[in-house]
Amino acid sequence: MGIPTRIPLLIMLLLALSGCSSSDQQDKKTEAAASAVDEGDVTAHNKNLEVISARFYQLYQPFKSSEPDDLSDFIAEYGTEFLTPTLEKKLTKALACEKQKTACKLELDPFYASKNHLVLEAIKRTSNNQVRVQFADKVNVILSFECKDSCRIDNVIYGKNDDLLSRLN
C-alpha cells in the first residue's frame, strides 16, 4: 500500500475515533481503525500523533479482559516504540515499587487516569506535540510527545498542575 492510499485510511481512523457510539461499538471502531495502521505506517507517518496515539491505545488496554494487561509487560515489549527513554525508565522504576507492595507514586493507570475500564471516545491533536485523549466518562488526558527521529510519548498531562513526570519525581 503506497503513501497516497494510506491517506484515506488515516482519515477513516480520525473519523472513527471522533464519533460517538455505544461502548462495545466504540471499542470495535477504535480497534479496527487502529489495526488499519501497521507499524510501517507509524514509521512513515511518525509526525501523525493521532495515529501513534490510536495504535498505543489499541495495544495497551489494561481493562479489556478479566486478566488485565500488566503495564510492566507492555513497557518491556513496546516501551522503546512508544515512550521516551526518560519516561520508560521512570515508569519502570515506579512499577518495580508496585510489585514490592510498598507506598508508590502510581495510584491510577498513568495512561487512562483511572482504575476502571474506560472507553476511548476521541483523539484530537491540540498542538504540534500534544494530543487530547477523551474517554467516554469525560476523563481526558493529554499525551505530550517528543519528536526527533520518531515521535514518542514523553509525558501525560492530567490537569493544569498535574502530570505523570511530576508524579514520578
Side-chain angles (χ1 to χ4, degrees):
M1 180 172 9
I3 296 289
T5 59
R6 290 182 181 158
I7 293 171
L9 281 176
L10 294 174
I11 292 169
M12 288 179 1
L13 168 74
L14 294 175
L15 290 173
L17 292 175
S18 65
C20 295
S21 63
S22 74
S23 64
D24 188 43
Q25 289 174 334
Q26 189 61 36
D27 283 345
K28 288 178 185 174
K29 280 184 179 181
T30 301
E31 227 172 88
S35 65
V37 181
D38 64 25
E39 290 178 41
D41 290 334
V42 172
T43 302
H45 296 284
N46 69 350
K47 299 290 186 193
N48 192 331
L49 303 183
E50 296 95 329
V51 172
I52 296 168
S53 301
R55 177 139 172 86
F56 174 84
Y57 280 102
Q58 177 211 13
L59 293 172
Y60 181 59
Q61 298 182 18
F63 311 111
K64 189 167 181 148
S65 65
S66 60
E67 186 64 35
D69 287 347
D70 182 61
L71 183 55
S72 298
D73 293 341
F74 178 84
I75 290 172
E77 187 168 349
Y78 298 106
T80 57
E81 180 180 348
F82 290 105
L83 307 174
T84 61
T86 301
L87 183 58
E88 183 178 357
K89 183 178 178 180
K90 288 183 180 204
L91 274 172
T92 301
K93 185 177 178 182
L95 291 168
C97 170
E98 294 281 329
K99 289 186 189 258
Q100 296 171 359
K101 306 274 190 227
T102 59
C104 301
K105 299 176 181 183
L106 293 176
E107 299 166 7
L108 306 170
D109 182 275
F111 299 102
Y112 285 84
S114 177
K115 290 182 180 179
N116 303 315
H117 175 74
L118 297 176
V119 176
L120 181 63
E121 194 171 88
I123 297 174
K124 183 179 179 186
R125 193 173 194 142
T126 59
S127 71
N128 284 342
N129 68 341
Q130 293 184 341
V131 295
R132 176 179 302 283
V133 180
Q134 183 175 344
F135 300 101
D137 70 347
K138 305 302 178 211
V139 170
N140 293 303
V141 297
I142 295 174
L143 299 180
S144 177
F145 287 83
E146 176 184 282
C147 295
K148 292 182 181 175
D149 293 334
S150 63
C151 294
R152 294 186 181 128
I153 301 167
D154 72 344
N155 201 3
V156 181
I157 302 166
Y158 306 114
K160 189 171 184 175
N161 295 313
D162 189 17
D163 65 272
L164 181 56
L165 286 178
S166 295
R167 289 181 181 191
L168 295 175
N169 283 332

Short mmCIF file of all heavy atoms in Angstrom, two decimals, residues 134-159:
data_model
loop_
_atom_site.label_atom_id
_atom_site.label_comp_id
_atom_site.label_asym_id
_atom_site.label_seq_id
_atom_site.Cartn_x
_atom_site.Cartn_y
_atom_site.Cartn_z
N GLN A 134 -9.76 11.59 24.83
CA GLN A 134 -11.00 11.71 25.58
C GLN A 134 -11.65 10.35 25.72
O GLN A 134 -11.77 9.60 24.75
CB GLN A 134 -11.97 12.67 24.89
CG GLN A 134 -13.24 12.88 25.69
CD GLN A 134 -14.13 13.94 25.06
OE1 GLN A 134 -13.71 14.69 24.21
NE2 GLN A 134 -15.37 13.96 25.47
N PHE A 135 -12.05 10.05 26.94
CA PHE A 135 -12.74 8.80 27.24
C PHE A 135 -14.21 9.10 27.46
O PHE A 135 -14.60 10.22 27.76
CB PHE A 135 -12.12 8.13 28.46
CG PHE A 135 -10.66 7.80 28.26
CD1 PHE A 135 -9.67 8.61 28.81
CD2 PHE A 135 -10.28 6.71 27.51
CE1 PHE A 135 -8.34 8.33 28.62
CE2 PHE A 135 -8.93 6.42 27.31
CZ PHE A 135 -7.96 7.22 27.87
N ALA A 136 -15.05 8.08 27.32
CA ALA A 136 -16.50 8.25 27.36
C ALA A 136 -17.00 8.87 28.66
O ALA A 136 -18.02 9.54 28.67
CB ALA A 136 -17.21 6.92 27.11
N ASP A 137 -16.33 8.65 29.77
CA ASP A 137 -16.81 9.21 31.03
C ASP A 137 -16.27 10.62 31.30
O ASP A 137 -16.27 11.09 32.41
CB ASP A 137 -16.48 8.28 32.19
CG ASP A 137 -15.01 8.23 32.49
OD1 ASP A 137 -14.21 8.72 31.68
OD2 ASP A 137 -14.65 7.72 33.56
N LYS A 138 -15.80 11.27 30.24
CA LYS A 138 -15.31 12.65 30.27
C LYS A 138 -13.95 12.80 30.93
O LYS A 138 -13.51 13.90 31.21
CB LYS A 138 -16.32 13.61 30.92
CG LYS A 138 -17.69 13.58 30.28
CD LYS A 138 -17.64 13.91 28.81
CE LYS A 138 -19.02 13.81 28.19
NZ LYS A 138 -19.02 13.42 26.82
N VAL A 139 -13.29 11.69 31.20
CA VAL A 139 -11.90 11.76 31.64
C VAL A 139 -11.07 12.10 30.42
O VAL A 139 -11.25 11.53 29.36
CB VAL A 139 -11.43 10.42 32.25
CG1 VAL A 139 -9.93 10.41 32.48
CG2 VAL A 139 -12.16 10.13 33.54
N ASN A 140 -10.20 13.06 30.56
CA ASN A 140 -9.31 13.45 29.47
C ASN A 140 -7.88 13.38 29.96
O ASN A 140 -7.60 13.71 31.11
CB ASN A 140 -9.57 14.90 29.03
CG ASN A 140 -10.91 15.07 28.39
OD1 ASN A 140 -11.23 14.41 27.41
ND2 ASN A 140 -11.71 15.97 28.94
N VAL A 141 -6.99 12.96 29.07
CA VAL A 141 -5.57 13.09 29.32
C VAL A 141 -4.97 13.72 28.07
O VAL A 141 -5.53 13.62 26.99
CB VAL A 141 -4.87 11.75 29.64
CG1 VAL A 141 -5.41 11.13 30.91
CG2 VAL A 141 -4.94 10.78 28.49
N ILE A 142 -3.86 14.37 28.25
CA ILE A 142 -3.13 14.92 27.10
C ILE A 142 -1.81 14.18 27.02
O ILE A 142 -1.06 14.14 28.01
CB ILE A 142 -2.91 16.43 27.25
CG1 ILE A 142 -4.26 17.15 27.22
CG2 ILE A 142 -1.98 16.96 26.16
CD1 ILE A 142 -4.19 18.64 27.50
N LEU A 143 -1.57 13.58 25.88
CA LEU A 143 -0.28 12.94 25.65
C LEU A 143 0.64 13.97 25.03
O LEU A 143 0.31 14.57 24.01
CB LEU A 143 -0.42 11.74 24.71
CG LEU A 143 -1.31 10.59 25.17
CD1 LEU A 143 -1.33 9.49 24.11
CD2 LEU A 143 -0.87 10.04 26.51
N SER A 144 1.78 14.16 25.64
CA SER A 144 2.79 15.07 25.13
C SER A 144 3.88 14.22 24.48
O SER A 144 4.31 13.22 25.05
CB SER A 144 3.36 15.90 26.28
OG SER A 144 4.38 16.74 25.82
N PHE A 145 4.31 14.62 23.29
CA PHE A 145 5.28 13.84 22.53
C PHE A 145 6.59 14.60 22.35
O PHE A 145 6.60 15.82 22.24
CB PHE A 145 4.73 13.53 21.13
CG PHE A 145 3.64 12.50 21.13
CD1 PHE A 145 2.32 12.85 21.40
CD2 PHE A 145 3.93 11.17 20.85
CE1 PHE A 145 1.32 11.90 21.40
CE2 PHE A 145 2.93 10.21 20.84
CZ PHE A 145 1.62 10.58 21.12
N GLU A 146 7.66 13.83 22.29
CA GLU A 146 8.96 14.34 21.87
C GLU A 146 9.20 13.74 20.49
O GLU A 146 9.16 12.51 20.33
CB GLU A 146 10.04 13.87 22.84
CG GLU A 146 11.43 14.28 22.44
CD GLU A 146 12.47 13.72 23.40
OE1 GLU A 146 12.61 14.30 24.49
OE2 GLU A 146 13.09 12.70 23.05
N CYS A 147 9.40 14.59 19.50
CA CYS A 147 9.59 14.11 18.13
C CYS A 147 10.99 14.45 17.65
O CYS A 147 11.33 15.62 17.48
CB CYS A 147 8.55 14.72 17.20
SG CYS A 147 6.86 14.22 17.58
N LYS A 148 11.78 13.43 17.47
CA LYS A 148 13.11 13.57 16.86
C LYS A 148 13.08 12.70 15.61
O LYS A 148 12.44 13.07 14.65
CB LYS A 148 14.19 13.16 17.86
CG LYS A 148 14.30 14.13 19.03
CD LYS A 148 15.41 13.75 19.99
CE LYS A 148 15.44 14.76 21.14
NZ LYS A 148 16.39 14.40 22.16
N ASP A 149 13.76 11.55 15.63
CA ASP A 149 13.66 10.62 14.51
C ASP A 149 12.25 10.04 14.41
O ASP A 149 11.74 9.77 13.34
CB ASP A 149 14.68 9.49 14.65
CG ASP A 149 16.11 9.99 14.51
OD1 ASP A 149 16.31 11.04 13.86
OD2 ASP A 149 17.01 9.35 15.06
N SER A 150 11.65 9.81 15.55
CA SER A 150 10.27 9.34 15.63
C SER A 150 9.62 10.04 16.82
O SER A 150 10.30 10.66 17.63
CB SER A 150 10.21 7.82 15.79
OG SER A 150 10.81 7.45 17.01
N CYS A 151 8.32 9.95 16.89
CA CYS A 151 7.60 10.60 17.99
C CYS A 151 7.29 9.58 19.07
O CYS A 151 6.75 8.51 18.77
CB CYS A 151 6.32 11.24 17.48
SG CYS A 151 6.61 12.62 16.36
N ARG A 152 7.59 9.96 20.32
CA ARG A 152 7.33 9.09 21.45
C ARG A 152 6.71 9.92 22.57
O ARG A 152 7.01 11.10 22.73
CB ARG A 152 8.62 8.45 21.94
CG ARG A 152 9.23 7.51 20.93
CD ARG A 152 10.42 6.79 21.52
NE ARG A 152 10.98 5.92 20.51
CZ ARG A 152 12.25 5.93 20.17
NH1 ARG A 152 13.09 6.73 20.77
NH2 ARG A 152 12.69 5.12 19.25
N ILE A 153 5.89 9.26 23.36
CA ILE A 153 5.24 9.92 24.50
C ILE A 153 6.31 10.29 25.52
O ILE A 153 7.09 9.44 25.94
CB ILE A 153 4.18 9.00 25.14
CG1 ILE A 153 3.12 8.62 24.11
CG2 ILE A 153 3.56 9.67 26.37
CD1 ILE A 153 2.20 7.49 24.55
N ASP A 154 6.32 11.58 25.91
CA ASP A 154 7.29 11.98 26.93
C ASP A 154 6.62 12.44 28.23
O ASP A 154 7.29 12.63 29.24
CB ASP A 154 8.27 13.04 26.42
CG ASP A 154 7.67 14.42 26.23
OD1 ASP A 154 6.44 14.54 26.19
OD2 ASP A 154 8.45 15.38 26.11
N ASN A 155 5.29 12.58 28.21
CA ASN A 155 4.57 12.93 29.43
C ASN A 155 3.08 12.75 29.20
O ASN A 155 2.61 12.75 28.05
CB ASN A 155 4.86 14.38 29.84
CG ASN A 155 4.58 14.65 31.31
OD1 ASN A 155 4.21 13.76 32.07
ND2 ASN A 155 4.78 15.89 31.72
N VAL A 156 2.36 12.59 30.29
CA VAL A 156 0.90 12.53 30.25
C VAL A 156 0.41 13.62 31.19
O VAL A 156 0.78 13.65 32.36
CB VAL A 156 0.36 11.16 30.72
CG1 VAL A 156 -1.15 11.12 30.63
CG2 VAL A 156 0.99 10.03 29.90
N ILE A 157 -0.39 14.53 30.65
CA ILE A 157 -0.88 15.67 31.42
C ILE A 157 -2.32 15.38 31.84
O ILE A 157 -3.17 15.07 31.01
CB ILE A 157 -0.79 16.96 30.60
CG1 ILE A 157 0.67 17.19 30.19
CG2 ILE A 157 -1.35 18.15 31.39
CD1 ILE A 157 0.86 18.23 29.11
N TYR A 158 -2.58 15.49 33.15
CA TYR A 158 -3.90 15.19 33.69
C TYR A 158 -4.72 16.44 33.96
O TYR A 158 -5.94 16.42 33.90
CB TYR A 158 -3.78 14.39 34.99
CG TYR A 158 -2.92 13.15 34.84
CD1 TYR A 158 -1.70 13.04 35.49
CD2 TYR A 158 -3.33 12.10 34.03
CE1 TYR A 158 -0.92 11.92 35.36
CE2 TYR A 158 -2.56 10.97 33.88
CZ TYR A 158 -1.34 10.88 34.55
OH TYR A 158 -0.57 9.76 34.41
N GLY A 159 -4.07 17.50 34.30
CA GLY A 159 -4.76 18.75 34.63
C GLY A 159 -3.76 19.88 34.61
O GLY A 159 -2.59 19.71 34.24
#
